[in-house]
């Protein structure tokens, strides 16, 4: 029992640390800052942070949500993302039933999606590098777990490349600015990882989420007709929902007929 608790704690901290890095990268890259080299510092007073200050989850709690040096409030985003990272790391392990390779690939997939969501929300752009990484994860997934009976087949992955991205491209050609090039590339790469069925479900979920958000903006008059907003975060949310619950929700829907 002690070893199980230790393992769960270790995995949770690993997830928190990865999402902490994702958060740093998403904050620094738009500002043209090196997100690998260089020490972390307080955005308010620029004081170099100590290892204790940067402890995943516990650092925020020990500091009371304030900088140790200038007492400025630390954004809750840091703590929330670290908690989310712990949650997804444990959820991936549970979902994959002890298949550590699949769990690690799924967690890496989610981590890149969270990075994309943060970047797109801040800049309205999705880095091509992130989509390339997801495509590489799709190749790795096909290589390492392609032999499993319940794994996504090669043909499913190849169809997944175009089943959503091609319609998005055609819509954008007919209605310029309907979707960004980053959205199209993202859905092509995720199709290689999820396969056509889950990728289609993810697009459907994203349209529902994004449409609901657009209605909210119009009702509250926080945006006007024709005004654009980042669609990438909704695509990423739909993809994560599809990864964990897509198969189940599709079966529930088909059972109605």
């Amino acid at each position: 029992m002690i070893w199980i608790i230790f393992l769960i704690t270790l995995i949770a901290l690993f997830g928190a640390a990865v999402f902490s890095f994702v958060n740093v990268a998403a904050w620094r890259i738009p500002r043209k800052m090196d997100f690998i080299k260089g020490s972390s510092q307080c955005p308010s007073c620029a004081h170099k942070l100590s290892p204790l200050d940067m402890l995943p989850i516990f650092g925020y709690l020990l500091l009371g949500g304030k900088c140790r040096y200038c007492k400025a409030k630390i954004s809750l985003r840091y703590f929330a993302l670290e908690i989310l990272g712990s949650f997804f790391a444990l959820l991936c392990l549970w979902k994959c039933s002890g298949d550590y390779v699949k769990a690690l690939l799924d967690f890496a997939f989610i981590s890149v999606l969270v990075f994309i969501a943060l970047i797109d929300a801040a800049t309205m752009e999705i880095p091509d590098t992130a989509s390339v990484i997801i495509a590489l994860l799709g190749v790795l997934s096909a290589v390492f777990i392609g032999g499993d009976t319940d794994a996504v087949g090669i043909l499913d992955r190849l169809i997944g490349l175009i089943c959503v991205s091609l319609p998005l491209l055609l819509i954008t050609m007919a209605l310029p600015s309907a979707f960004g090039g980053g959205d199209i590339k993202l859905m092509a790469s995720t199709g290689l990882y999820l396969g056509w069925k889950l990728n289609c479900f993810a697009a459907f979920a994203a349209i529902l989420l994004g449409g609901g958000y657009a209605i909210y903006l119009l009702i509250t008059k926080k945006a006007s007709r024709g005004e654009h907003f980042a669609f990438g975060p909704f695509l990423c949310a739909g993809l994560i929902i599809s990864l964990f619950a897509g198969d189940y929700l599709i079966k529930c829907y088909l059972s109605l007929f």
Side-chain angles (χ1 to χ4, degrees):
M1 178 62 72
I2 294 178
W3 282 106
I4 293 176
I5 294 175
F6 175 76
L7 180 61
I8 291 175
T9 302
L10 194 63
I11 292 172
L13 289 176
F14 168 76
V18 171
F19 269 46
S20 179
F21 173 77
V22 166
N23 187 32
V24 170
W27 189 86
R28 291 188 180 185
I29 288 177
R31 294 166 174 80
K32 309 299 181 183
M33 298 169 63
D34 193 327
F35 64 94
I36 297 178
K37 298 179 181 179
S39 57
S40 297
Q41 59 186 28
C42 172
S44 297
C45 65
H47 196 287
K48 181 180 177 180
L49 301 180
S50 69
L52 183 63
D53 299 327
M54 296 183 290
L55 278 176
I57 299 177
F58 296 106
Y60 184 91
L61 296 175
L62 290 172
L63 293 171
K66 296 180 180 179
C67 173
R68 180 192 304 275
Y69 311 99
C70 69
K71 305 304 178 182
K73 287 187 177 180
I74 301 172
S75 173
L76 189 61
R77 163 173 156 167
Y78 294 90
F79 181 70
L81 281 172
E82 289 172 359
I83 291 291
L84 195 63
S86 295
F87 171 74
F88 278 133
L90 294 173
L91 190 59
C92 286
L93 188 64
W94 172 80
K95 170 184 174 288
C96 297
S97 303
D99 187 339
Y100 298 112
V101 174
K102 181 68 167 65
L104 186 60
L105 287 172
D106 280 354
F107 182 69
F109 177 69
I110 293 169
S111 299
V112 179
L113 290 178
V114 170
F115 168 78
I116 289 173
L118 293 173
I119 284 283
D120 195 36
T123 67
M124 297 280 285
E125 293 182 1
I126 298 177
D128 290 344
T129 304
S131 295
V132 170
I133 292 173
I134 289 180
L136 291 175
L137 290 174
V139 173
L140 291 174
S141 177
V143 171
F144 287 106
I145 62 177
D148 295 349
T149 55
D150 59 344
V152 180
I154 298 297
L155 182 59
D156 291 333
R157 296 178 190 273
L158 293 178
I159 296 175
L161 278 170
I162 61 173
C163 67
V164 175
S165 59
L166 182 57
L168 292 183
L169 176 60
L170 294 176
I171 292 173
T172 304
M173 291 174 64
L175 300 171
S177 76
F179 295 99
D183 298 332
I184 298 170
K185 296 171 188 175
L186 172 63
M187 295 311 291
S189 63
T190 56
L192 191 60
Y193 189 85
L194 293 176
W196 70 269
K197 182 170 63 175
L198 291 182
N199 212 39
C200 287
F201 179 85
F204 173 73
I207 291 172
L208 287 181
L209 293 171
Y213 180 67
I215 293 172
Y216 163 76
L217 291 178
L218 291 174
I219 291 176
T220 58
K221 297 182 179 180
K222 292 183 178 180
S224 58
R225 289 181 179 274
E227 189 171 338
H228 292 83
F229 60 87
F231 191 55
F234 299 100
L235 286 174
C236 293
L239 288 161
I240 293 174
I241 292 171
S242 185
L243 176 67
F244 287 113
D247 283 323
Y248 173 76
L249 293 174
I250 290 171
K251 288 178 183 178
C252 289
Y253 174 75
L254 293 178
S255 67
L256 299 176
F257 301 94

